[in-house]
């Protein structure tokens, strides 16, 4: 129970990564911030061993984030700290794209949790949704990269800590509404 609670807490902290970086860089020194972030990432790796099969992107994303944070310290620049959202988008794009190539698509895998007997129309629909998420990761990752390299820390934190999550939520909601409509149409 404690492990699950700690894992959830760490995942929430890492979801708030842009806010942590913003506060850390504006209120504390970058050395302390780097230590805290590396500690959180190491804890995630240690506590999430059981999730690696279900979330294959977790390990490479964590290792790439550690490299970015270390490089940020080596080059005395906060750019490495800002690249975490870019890394997450790249890794997710690779995972979703690979699932389209290798099959089944990530979204089909999720859909089969509630509908194990997914028909061919459902499989094709889930492929299209997976492709849509790939486009999202390209666009979102591109904007995250731009804000990492060219925007102020405040703009970077606002985009990656608020706007990107709102955009994901909107995409989830729209896809859910379209899915309901497609299911209703298939039943008729």
């Amino acid at each position: 129970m404690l492990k699950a609670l700690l894992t959830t807490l760490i995942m929430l902290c890492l979801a708030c990564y842009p806010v942590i970086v913003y506060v850390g860089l504006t209120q504390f020194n970058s050395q302390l911030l780097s230590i805290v972030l590396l500690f959180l990432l190491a804890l995630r790796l240690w506590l999430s061993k059981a999730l690696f099969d279900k979330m294959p992107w977790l390990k490479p994303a964590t290792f790439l984030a550690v490299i970015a944070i270390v490089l940020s310290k080596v080059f005395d620049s906060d750019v490495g700290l800002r690249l975490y959202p870019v890394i997450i988008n790249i890794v997710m794009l690779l995972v979703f794209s690979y699932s389209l190539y290798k099959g089944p698509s990530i979204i089909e895998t999720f859909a089969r949790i509630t509908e194990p007997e997914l028909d061919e129309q459902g499989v094709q629909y889930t492929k299209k949704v997976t492709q849509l998420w790939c486009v999202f990761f390209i666009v979102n990752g591109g904007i995250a990269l731009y804000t990492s390299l060219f925007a102020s820390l405040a703009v970077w934190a606002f985009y990656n800590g608020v706007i990107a999550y709102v955009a994901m939520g909107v995409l989830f909601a729209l896809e859910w509404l379209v899915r309901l409509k497609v299911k209703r149409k298939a039943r008729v």
Side-chain angles (χ1 to χ4, degrees), residues 107-109 111-112 115-124 126:
I107 304 298
E108 179 184 342
T109 303
R112 287 191 184 276
E115 293 184 45
E117 302 299 322
L118 197 62
D119 63 8
E120 186 57 31
Q121 183 181 2
V123 170
Q124 292 308 313
T126 58

Side-chain angles (χ1 to χ4, degrees), residues 44-70:
R44 177 171 73 181
L45 274 178
W46 180 63
L47 292 171
S48 301
K49 291 175 186 171
L51 294 176
F52 291 152
D53 289 336
K54 296 175 188 170
M55 298 165 51
W57 59 270
L58 192 61
K59 194 184 278 188
T62 303
F63 285 127
L64 289 172
V66 168
I67 291 168
I69 292 168
V70 169

Side-chain angles (χ1 to χ4, degrees), residues 164-178:
Y165 288 117
V166 169
M168 278 187 261
V170 167
L171 185 54
F172 272 121
L174 289 175
E175 189 279 321
W176 181 72
L177 291 172
V178 169

Side-chain angles (χ1 to χ4, degrees), residues 10-38:
I10 289 167
M11 293 297 208
L12 286 172
C13 284
L14 290 172
C16 296
Y17 181 91
V19 174
I20 292 171
V21 169
Y22 179 79
V23 171
L25 289 176
T26 58
Q27 304 298 317
F28 304 100
N29 69 33
S30 64
Q31 191 73 20
L32 177 62
L33 175 63
S34 295
I35 290 168
V36 168
L37 293 173
L38 289 172

